[in-house]
Amino acid sequence: MTATGGAIAGDEQTVAALGEFGLIAALSGWLRGVSPADPRTLVGIGDDAAVLAAPDGRVVASTDFLLEGRHFRRDWSSGADVGHKAAARSLIDVAAMGAVPTGLLVALAAPPDLPVTWARDLTEGLAAECARAGATVVGGDTASAGSVLLATTVLGDLAGRAPVLRSGAAPGDLVAVTGPLGHAAAGLALLKAVPTVSLPALPPAAAGPDPPAWAASLVAAQRRPQPPYDAGPQAADLGATAMIDISDGLLADLGHVALASGVLIDLSSDRLSPGAGLQAAARALHPFFGRTERGSTPAHTQALTWVLTGGEDHALAATFPPRVALPSHWTVIGEVRAGPGNRYSVLVDGQPWAGSAGWDHFA
């Protein structure tokens, strides 16, 4: 085992044995083998920098980190899982602006004993997730570190649209979401709980029977979120007034919209009812819960907490003028009202949320 928990086969080639330039050549070859040519990439991997066409004349850009031990564990996730997750976290930021992702730059720092096969699987995961979003990996860098670190930079094209900012929500607008909420948080809780809960082992290396379908689905959401990339440009075309992806929690991220727009947002818990899988996970993790005086089981409360405050699903939340006809995959969950406009200005059923609103790296 490595110091950070990744399993190493005794005779498996490592990135140290391959060397920096050998690793770069291998990464480049793997990417060329799995990524189709993209006419928007004028100069790709192999030069000092990539050159991408920018038909709109504007480039949308965002950057993100993925740190081993903070965002993933190698004994929980495969290299392909981590590649999908690293790409998804950045690609959805571009979609949340109403733009189409075009290119991804990836800087990889890794321990010398990292298996080459893990790096190959990582590369294939990055490329596959980019393909889901209509983008390609166009370059990057490598370095040595004590654990795996990925820094990603995504570029995107607005295709003539105005960017959808956090600051455009207005009183009377509807608040809607598309994509799952709380699934990744529940999956993380299940991974942390194994083997203390009575479920089959969930990490990929573990032997044993398959987990229940609901548990496998939630854990998959933690390992490989599936953001709704197409919904971002679609929302822009529908007239979205503000938009954000749910990375830190619905309440926390809508708090950014409330602050930037100077409004209050009121959500309806009835429209955010947790699904059967979340309820099952809450019961499995807290089997001793009984019914409360208000008729809501603590398991339901935990499931709703995941929906409201769990991050890493990378669903999209947007505000729309009240007369907009939304496609069926968008669910209206609340409304925008006049209010103080700070990051605490997100209510649930007209009341402040009592607990944490979501993830804070420095809390």
Side-chain angles (χ1 to χ4, degrees), residues 246-257:
I246 309 305
S247 56
D248 295 324
L250 180 65
L251 296 181
D253 289 318
L254 283 177
H256 300 314
V257 173

Side-chain angles (χ1 to χ4, degrees), residues 288-315:
F288 55 88
F289 280 170
R291 297 193 65 81
T292 67
E293 293 179 1
R294 301 174 67 181
S296 173
T297 66
H300 176 85
T301 301
Q302 177 58 68
L304 180 61
T305 299
W306 284 329
V307 169
L308 291 171
T309 68
E312 295 193 297
D313 286 300
H314 302 289

Side-chain angles (χ1 to χ4, degrees), residues 1-7 65-77 82 108-111 113-114 118 145-150:
M1 300 288 285
T2 67
T4 50
F65 273 125
L66 199 71
L67 309 176
E68 183 175 6
R70 172 65 68 174
H71 301 108
F72 71 92
R73 282 172 44 174
R74 277 191 277 149
D75 57 335
W76 285 354
S77 298
V82 175
L108 167 66
D113 62 355
L114 184 75
W118 198 94
S147 59
V148 177
L149 180 154
L150 289 122

Side-chain angles (χ1 to χ4, degrees), residues 190-292:
L190 287 168
L191 285 168
K192 286 181 174 180
V194 171
T196 59
V197 297
S198 56
L199 289 173
L202 291 169
D210 291 334
W214 58 263
S217 176
L218 296 175
V219 170
Q222 167 58 217
R223 290 177 177 147
R224 296 192 190 189
Q226 297 195 354
Y229 301 117
D230 293 345
Q234 178 193 59
D237 292 338
L238 289 168
T241 54
M243 187 155 48
I244 194 167
D245 87 287
I246 309 305
S247 56
D248 295 324
L250 180 65
L251 296 181
D253 289 318
L254 283 177
H256 300 314
V257 173
L259 175 62
S261 298
V263 296
L264 182 148
I265 293 174
D266 193 5
L267 304 180
S268 168
S269 62
D270 288 341
R271 297 180 180 181
L272 290 163
S273 181
L278 291 179
Q279 299 274 17
R283 287 193 298 270
L285 292 169
H286 304 285
F288 55 88
F289 280 170
R291 297 193 65 81
T292 67

Side-chain angles (χ1 to χ4, degrees), residues 43-130:
V43 177
I45 295 171
D47 251 287
D48 282 359
V51 180
L52 274 66
D56 180 83
R58 298 167 294 172
V59 175
V60 180
S62 182
T63 191
D64 205 2
F65 273 125
L66 199 71
L67 309 176
E68 183 175 6
R70 172 65 68 174
H71 301 108
F72 71 92
R73 282 172 44 174
R74 277 191 277 149
D75 57 335
W76 285 354
S77 298
S78 68
D81 291 336
V82 175
H84 277 274
K85 188 171 187 175
R89 290 164 61 91
S90 281
L91 294 164
I92 192 59
D93 282 337
V94 164
M97 300 294 289
V100 175
T102 55
L104 187 73
L105 298 159
V106 183
L108 167 66
D113 62 355
L114 184 75
V116 170
T117 53
W118 198 94
R120 181 199 62 210
D121 292 345
L122 171 76
T123 304
E124 292 177 354
L126 288 164
E129 192 62 32
C130 282

